[in-house]
Amino acid sequence: MNREDRAKQFMAFDALKGLQEELRKKEIEYEEKRDLSDSTLEELGNKLNALEKGTYTRIKYYRNKQYIEISGTVTNIDYNKRKIKIDETNINICDILEIKKN
């Protein structure tokens, strides 16, 4: 057997071509929670005060080391517990980055 054919025996075998590339696309990239400026916090407070139950809204918030965006209907706002509920998802008010009314 010549050297080239013999070397082919030891080459890496990829039974599922493209799998590694697709897995890399699915890797989760974590990010640190951002510190918000006073003006941004004031703006968020104003938007939060304007929200009412039954309002359809979109909120971007921090959970599990990444920012998540959710759209849905506000079902409950609890200022004592500092939580807002969108459909079935509870969100800590201090984790909110952005509020948009639709």
Side-chain angles (χ1 to χ4, degrees), residues 20-64:
Q20 293 303 319
E21 290 82 21
E22 291 300 316
L23 287 175
R24 278 189 213 98
K25 289 179 187 176
K26 297 285 183 180
E27 288 178 355
I28 298 171
E29 293 192 24
Y30 296 110
E31 50 185 309
E32 295 294 318
K33 187 174 180 181
R34 300 178 200 160
D35 290 328
L36 303 178
S37 67
D38 291 337
S39 61
T40 304
L41 288 172
E42 184 177 337
E43 183 182 329
L44 280 174
N46 293 337
K47 288 180 179 180
L48 186 62
N49 289 331
L51 284 181
E52 299 174 348
K53 287 183 183 178
T55 305
Y56 188 84
T57 188
R58 184 172 47 205
I59 293 181
K60 189 173 189 177
Y61 66 102
Y62 190 75
R63 177 178 265 167
N64 298 330

